[in-house]
């Protein structure tokens, strides 16, 4: 079992190294996230109250739209030099490939969020509450759900025709629970969470994450080999 | 020892012979059930005869769920056995389900207009159904964009299973979301006066659903048979030159 | 969801199957086009088999099926005594393939590519092995340069190096001499010799026999999906 985890770590490290080398990519993705925040701000209008009310939702949209680019790239490096076939020929179980890529993608998306979220705080005049640890949990669990499905669906979409439209088309309907839980949970915590709603949304995120991480690990071998 | 079992008989499976009768039974049942609903139950207190749209809207919704369930089961069976017929059934059910879901949404919207004055309301059930439609649509889009049959079957199965797993989660999360922000009431479906009308219509739509799925499956099955025949002929043809 | 078990590894030291490759009725299609049309092939252990033929004949596809990179549409086979479909993981452990594309991560250096391969293969004392391999293929000087900057010859040599990390029982080479100069060709021939010295088998797809120093045990031609 330990050799499997070593391989998972090797795959994650390899993906992260490749990502670091193509420096332009993370910067570009984070820039896109910032841009979306700005553009939404224009669309919603400068009224401070409106901005604060919609901040959580817009923030998560910015993360979603810029995040899909991360998933594409994760498979791009495999398709470029014909590395995928070589990867599939190592004596490794298929779930290890998914787990390794999942770990790497989580790191990259968290990095992007580390840029985009402070910017949202600035643009939308968000007051960071004392409940910020709970807020952090919402962010991490929401990101986990997002990246799990993103890594899974990108394994297919990146190799299909019309991949730019196919990945969002497949991914976004599936992410509705995550989007709702993350924005509502964030919004509740930002507003002091008088009703204690955040707890319910956190539990939903945990259940979602567990279900889809397990499902992805089980089904990945069927989609990566085809 | 092939990786997948291709249908080898030209005639469809005998268990399906009975479904052809539904071609005329189902529409008759639907008309009868609609008449029952229209004539039998009193107009709603608030909405008047507009309430009767529920007799198509609700059965359509229920049967969309049934179709989605078929997609789930067929997808799992495909991944388990790699037999292509399960993939064809899943695809047929997905198409029928997509149509029913779109119908549910349209009727919901049509009902909403005179009632609330708007074409769309972010009502929990309507919104969840819209998400469900998008999941079906993305499933069909994936199939359209994937040409190799085995890859298409495997990928669709994965997407079908994941989509089905998510349906209850979507409905739950959207409902919570709507209870947080004050919401208008949904059309009543629990009053006993409407119950029989709904049940009869649900069964009639179910018969129609079975017919559509079976017919679609038969067409897909024959298409694959034809393709398979052509492929096998192509395989036998090319001679090797010394 | 099982990888090769310990008992399979133990069998490495036990009986060697006398047949390295045994294929029966193998077919493979892509969409509606048949790449393999009923392949029958038997390769004994220790042999050097050469497959020639024009482009598009299916040679690469056949090699990929043997390597278990793709599954056949129909037919059955045993590779190194293991079932082609059910024991693919065990086959992969003992087989190394150099495909038509090099399979590198272009933003990583040569050393990093080999390090990744070594970790995935479970190579013992990886850093030493990698250093040895890099020297052997003549890439020690460029070891820390990104593969993106390599010429096609260098990339091919790196791919050869990756194959050398493995010490396989069955070596599959698809146009190995492509993009290689005379020195590179020596590497390929050495690689084949090394495998056979250990009692392993080599199946090589080639256009041009001239660069191969060894006499093949058997030669096949592949045309339009069939072997002759």
């Amino acid at each position: 079992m330990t050799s499997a985890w070593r391989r998972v770590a090797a795959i994650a490290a390899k993906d992260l190294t490749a990502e670091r080398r193509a420096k332009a990519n993370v910067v570009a993705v984070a820039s896109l996230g910032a841009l979306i925040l700005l553009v939404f701000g224009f669309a919603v209008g400068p009224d401070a109250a409106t901005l604060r009310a919609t901040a959580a939702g817009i923030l998560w949209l910015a993360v979603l739209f810029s995040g899909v680019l991360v998933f594409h790239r994760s498979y791009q490096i495999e398709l470029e030099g014909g590395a995928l076939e070589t990867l599939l020929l190592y004596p490794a179980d298929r779930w290890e490939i998914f787990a390794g890529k999942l770990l790497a993608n989580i790191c990259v998306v968290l990095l992007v969020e580390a840029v985009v979220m402070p910017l949202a705080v600035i643009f939308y005049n968000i007051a960071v509450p004392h409940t910020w640890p709970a807020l952090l949990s919402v962010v991490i669990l929401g990101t986990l759900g997002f990246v799990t499905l993103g890594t899974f669906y990108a394994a297919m979409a990146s190799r299909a025709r019309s991949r730019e439209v196919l990945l969002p088309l497949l991914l976004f309907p599936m992410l509705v629970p995550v989007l709702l839980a993350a924005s509502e949970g964030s919004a509740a915590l930002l507003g002091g969470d008088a009703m204690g709603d955040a707890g319910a949304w956190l539990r939903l995120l945990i259940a979602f994450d567990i279900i889809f991480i397990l499902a992805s690990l089980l089904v990945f071998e069927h989609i990566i080999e085809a | 020892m092939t990786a997948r079992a291709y249908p080898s008989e030209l005639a469809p499976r005998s268990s399906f012979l009975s479904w052809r009768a539904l071609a005329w039974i189902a529409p008759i049942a639907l008309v009868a059930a609609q008449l029952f609903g229209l004539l039998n139950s009193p107009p709603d207190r608030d909405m008047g005869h507009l309430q009767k749209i529920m007799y198509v809207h609700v059965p359509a919704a229920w049967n969309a769920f049934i179709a989605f369930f078929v997609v789930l089961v067929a997808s799992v069976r495909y991944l388990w056995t790699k037999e292509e017929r399960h993939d064809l059934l899943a695809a047929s059910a997905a198409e029928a389900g997509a149509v029913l879901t779109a119908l549910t949404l349209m009727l919901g919207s049509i009902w909403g207009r005179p009632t609330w004055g708007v074409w769309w309301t972010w009502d929990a059930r309507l919104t969840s159904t819209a998400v469900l439609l998008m999941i079906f649509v993305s499933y069909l889009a994936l199939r359209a964009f994937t040409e190799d049959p085995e890859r298409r079957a495997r990928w669709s199965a994965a997407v079908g299973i994941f989509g089905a797993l998510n349906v209850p989660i979507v409905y739950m999360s959207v409902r919570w979301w709507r209870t947080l922000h004050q919401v208008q009431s949904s059309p009543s479906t629990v009053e006993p006066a409407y119950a029989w009308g709904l049940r009869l219509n649900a069964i009639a739509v179910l018969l129609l659903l079975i017919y559509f799925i079976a017919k679609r499956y038969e067409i897909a099955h024959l298409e694959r048979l034809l393709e398979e025949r052509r492929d096998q002929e192509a395989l036998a043809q090319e001679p090797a030159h010394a | 969801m099982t990888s090769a078990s310990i008992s399979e590894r133990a069998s490495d030291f036990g009986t060697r199957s006398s047949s390295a490759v045994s294929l029966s009725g193998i077919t493979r299609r892509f969409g509606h086009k048949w790449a393999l049309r009923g392949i029958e092939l038997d390769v004994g252990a220790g042999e050097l088999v050469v497959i020639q033929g024009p482009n598009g004949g299916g040679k690469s596809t056949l090699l990929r099926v043997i390597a278990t990179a793709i599954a056949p549409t129909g037919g059955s086979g045993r590779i190194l005594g293991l079932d082609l479909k059910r024991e693919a993981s065990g086959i992969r452990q003992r087989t190394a393939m150099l495909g038509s594309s090099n399979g590198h991560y272009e933003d990583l250096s040569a050393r990093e590519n080999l390090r990744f391969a070594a970790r995935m293969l479970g190579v013992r004392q990886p850093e030493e092995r990698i250093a040895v391999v890099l020297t052997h293929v003549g890439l020690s000087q460029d070891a820390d340069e990104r593969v993106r900057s390599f010429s096609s010859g260098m990339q091919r040599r790196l791919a050869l190096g990756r194959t050398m990390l493995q010490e396989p029982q069955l070596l599959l080479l698809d146009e190995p001499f492509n993009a290689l100069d005379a020195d590179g060709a020596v590497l390929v021939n050495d690689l084949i010799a090394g495998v056979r010295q250990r009692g392993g088998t080599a199946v090589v797809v080639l256009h041009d026999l001239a660069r191969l120093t060894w006499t093949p045990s058997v030669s096949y031609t592949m045309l339009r999906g069939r072997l002759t």
Side-chain angles (χ1 to χ4, degrees):
Chain A
M1 197 53 191
T2 42
S3 59
W5 286 107
R6 237 180 278 136
R7 287 191 291 263
V8 168
I11 292 170
K14 176 261 297 174
D15 273 21
L16 283 172
T17 310
E19 192 59 47
R20 210 175 54 223
R21 292 291 161 72
K23 270 191 218 88
N25 195 55
V26 179
V27 171
V29 173
S31 305
L32 182 61
L35 184 61
I36 293 174
L37 283 180
L38 203 60
V39 168
F40 262 112
F42 288 138
V44 165
D47 173 51
T50 319
L51 285 175
R52 224 174 291 125
T54 53
I58 292 174
L59 173 60
W60 281 101
L61 278 180
V63 168
L64 247 57
F65 281 122
S66 47
V68 283
L69 301 171
V70 173
F71 309 133
H72 266 311
R73 178 145 167 89
S74 174
Y75 291 96
Q76 200 62 24
I77 60 172
E78 310 292 344
L79 299 174
E80 256 183 349
L84 184 60
E85 187 162 274
T86 308
L87 184 62
L88 290 173
L89 284 178
Y90 293 125
D93 285 330
R94 302 328 189 190
W95 69 263
E96 297 168 26
I97 301 175
F98 177 76
K101 288 197 166 291
L102 176 63
L103 284 174
N105 287 341
I106 289 173
C107 292
V108 177
V109 172
L110 282 177
L111 195 62
V112 171
E113 287 173 353
V115 170
V116 171
M117 290 191 175
L119 280 176
V121 169
I122 295 171
F123 286 161
Y124 294 88
N125 291 308
I126 300 173
V128 183
H130 64 281
T131 48
W132 66 265
L135 194 57
L136 199 60
S137 318
V138 171
V139 169
I140 292 176
L141 289 171
T143 303
L144 187 56
F146 171 46
V147 178
T148 301
L149 284 183
T151 307
F152 186 82
Y153 280 95
M156 297 181 280
S158 301
R159 297 188 284 154
R161 298 202 323 254
S162 293
R163 57 188 66 119
E164 290 79 18
V165 73
L166 196 55
L167 184 57
L169 197 60
L170 286 170
L171 192 54
F172 289 169
M174 294 294 290
L175 289 175
V176 164
V178 173
L179 185 60
L180 285 178
S183 1
E184 290 295 327
S186 313
L189 287 167
L190 287 173
D193 198 16
M195 306 284 286
D197 293 325
W201 291 118
L202 267 171
R203 281 193 297 277
L204 177 67
L205 282 174
I206 293 173
F208 187 92
D209 290 351
I210 292 175
I211 290 173
F212 283 106
I213 290 176
L214 283 176
S216 301
L217 288 170
L218 280 172
V219 181
F220 192 73
E221 62 174 294
H222 295 286
I223 64 166
I224 196 69
E225 281 179 357
Chain B
M1 200 166 80
T2 34
R4 343 152 226 194
Y6 282 109
S8 56
E9 329 82 14
L10 195 55
R13 295 155 60 81
S14 58
S15 61
F16 271 104
L17 278 176
S18 53
W19 63 264
R20 294 183 195 285
L22 288 175
W24 55 270
I25 292 179
I28 292 176
L30 186 61
V31 170
Q34 284 292 301
L35 283 173
F36 177 85
L38 288 167
L39 301 171
N40 202 49
S41 54
D44 181 75
R45 260 173 317 173
D46 307 310
M47 293 175 262
H49 287 285
L50 182 61
Q51 176 65 4
K52 304 285 170 65
I53 210 171
M54 287 304 114
Y55 290 121
V56 188
H57 171 84
V58 174
W62 289 348
N63 281 287
F65 279 114
I66 292 177
F68 213 43
F69 186 71
V70 173
V71 172
L72 172 64
V73 171
S75 295
V76 171
R77 289 183 78 189
Y78 175 76
L79 285 184
W80 194 259
T81 65
K82 298 293 186 312
E83 285 172 28
E84 216 194 4
R85 58 195 172 101
H86 299 305
D87 172 58
L88 296 181
L89 181 61
S92 308
E95 282 188 21
V99 170
L100 280 177
T101 312
L103 186 65
T104 306
L105 282 174
M106 281 194 296
L107 291 175
S109 175
I110 291 172
W111 177 86
R113 177 78 173 127
T115 312
W116 298 321
V118 290
W119 283 111
W120 184 263
T121 164
W122 290 85
D123 160 70
R125 281 189 307 212
L126 210 59
T127 312
S128 302
T129 308
V131 175
L132 184 64
L133 179 62
M134 289 318 300
I135 294 178
F136 268 130
V137 165
S138 69
Y139 174 98
L140 294 171
L142 177 66
R143 287 191 76 91
F145 287 137
T146 311
E147 294 195 331
D148 179 68
E150 194 191 342
R151 175 184 272 197
R152 183 175 58 216
R154 286 195 185 210
W155 285 5
S156 312
V159 170
I161 292 171
F162 273 46
L165 282 177
N166 210 10
V167 168
I169 305 177
V170 167
Y171 272 80
M172 236 167 46
S173 55
V174 174
R175 204 178 59 212
W176 280 353
W177 176 60
R178 290 315 286 156
T179 57
L180 285 179
H181 311 265
Q182 295 317 310
V183 74
Q184 295 133 324
S185 57
S186 300
S188 152
T189 53
V190 293
E191 291 199 31
Y194 303 133
W196 268 110
L198 285 175
R199 275 184 216 138
L200 286 173
N201 275 289
I203 293 171
V205 176
L206 179 62
L207 293 177
L208 213 53
L209 177 70
I210 294 173
Y211 178 72
F212 279 134
I213 292 180
K215 188 72 185 159
R216 187 68 192 85
Y217 174 78
E218 184 190 44
I219 294 172
H221 174 117
L222 287 171
E223 276 173 356
R224 280 303 293 154
L225 261 182
L226 191 61
E227 274 181 2
E228 187 60 21
R229 287 270 152 107
R230 275 201 219 116
D231 282 352
Q232 293 295 335
E233 274 167 30
L235 177 61
Q237 242 163 31
E238 297 263 297
H241 298 290
Chain C
M1 231 166 78
T2 52
S3 14
S5 63
I6 296 175
S7 57
E8 282 181 288
R9 266 175 263 247
S11 74
D12 269 333
F13 300 96
T15 50
R16 287 258 155 93
S17 171
S18 60
S19 161
V21 175
S22 173
L23 299 178
S24 173
I26 294 286
T27 58
R28 170 73 202 200
R29 83 176 123 188
F30 294 104
H32 296 299
K33 311 206 68 178
W34 290 99
L36 300 177
R37 299 163 176 274
I39 303 286
E40 306 284 332
L41 179 64
D42 270 289
V43 178
E47 289 185 357
L48 168 61
V49 172
V50 162
I51 303 178
Q52 295 180 281
N55 287 337
K59 310 187 294 296
S60 298
T61 309
L62 177 58
L63 228 54
R64 289 164 75 202
V65 168
I66 296 173
T68 70
I70 55 179
T73 306
S76 63
R78 297 195 83 82
I79 312 291
L80 301 172
L82 297 169
D83 184 80
L84 188 60
K85 297 210 192 88
R86 286 191 303 267
E87 297 170 285
S89 179
I91 297 175
R92 278 181 217 132
Q93 272 214 312
R94 300 164 175 76
T95 306
M97 175 160 106
L98 179 64
S100 39
S101 63
N102 294 314
H104 299 315
Y105 295 103
E106 306 198 342
D107 281 319
L108 265 53
S109 71
R111 195 189 303 276
E112 284 166 341
N113 267 282
L114 287 182
R115 192 175 288 143
F116 176 66
R119 289 170 84 180
M120 293 302 286
L121 291 166
V123 169
R124 260 171 281 216
Q125 296 170 322
E127 292 304 318
E128 286 112 358
R129 282 285 294 150
I130 292 169
V132 166
V133 165
L134 281 169
T135 316
H136 197 106
V137 297
L139 287 173
S140 327
Q141 276 204 307
D142 306 286
D144 297 301
E145 299 294 319
R146 294 190 204 180
V147 170
R148 205 180 279 284
S149 65
F150 281 13
S151 68
S152 53
M154 290 164 80
Q155 290 196 13
R156 202 76 175 132
R157 276 188 276 150
L158 181 60
L160 269 176
R162 186 179 58 233
T163 320
M164 287 173 195
L165 282 174
Q166 236 178 308
E167 302 204 349
Q169 263 178 271
L170 175 61
L171 181 67
L172 304 167
L173 301 176
D174 194 350
E175 308 281 2
F177 297 107
N178 270 3
L180 289 179
D181 55 13
D183 288 333
V186 170
L187 286 175
V188 175
N189 286 301
D190 282 350
L191 179 64
I192 296 174
V195 168
R196 296 186 75 200
Q197 251 162 29
R198 291 190 308 268
T201 317
V203 179
V204 185
V205 162
L206 277 181
H207 260 135
D208 168 23
L209 270 177
R211 307 186 80 184
L212 185 66
T213 1
W214 315 112
T215 320
S217 322
V218 197
S219 245
Y220 292 98
T221 310
M222 196 147 174
L223 192 62
R224 285 205 273 271
R226 290 193 211 274
L227 265 182
T228 44

